[in-house]
Amino acid sequence: SSGVFNLNSAKPFSKVEIINALGQVVSIKTSAGMQNETIDLSDQKSGIYLARISNDETQFTQRIVIK
């Protein structure tokens, strides 16, 4: 990806954290009821990042590669 990506979920989520390879949170977005969100990381360096997506019930992590 060039740094802009979309998150789509069947169930609403309330928090998205973007974490770099050093474990630092470089972006955080919170809002109740998110289901379709665009995240812009074009200002971040190339590399591998993790998107930690969560709501009150569950959490999952997705790997993101910025070229």
Side-chain angles (χ1 to χ4, degrees):
S1 168
S2 62
V4 178
F5 64 96
N6 294 311
L7 293 174
N8 300 303
S9 175
K11 292 187 177 186
F13 50 93
S14 57
K15 185 176 182 181
V16 178
E17 294 175 288
I18 307 300
I19 303 159
N20 67 15
L22 300 175
Q24 300 166 324
V25 177
V26 297
S27 177
I28 188 166
K29 187 171 188 177
T30 58
S31 179
M34 292 187 285
Q35 283 186 280
N36 301 301
E37 292 295 317
T38 300
I39 306 293
D40 185 356
L41 297 176
S42 58
D43 61 338
Q44 297 295 322
K45 294 181 182 179
S46 297
I48 297 173
Y49 294 80
L50 297 175
R52 185 181 312 154
I53 300 130
S54 58
N55 62 23
D56 293 337
E57 300 172 2
T58 189
Q59 171 180 304
F60 68 94
T61 304
Q62 179 68 44
R63 187 175 75 140
I64 301 166
V65 178
I66 298 177
K67 297 181 179 180

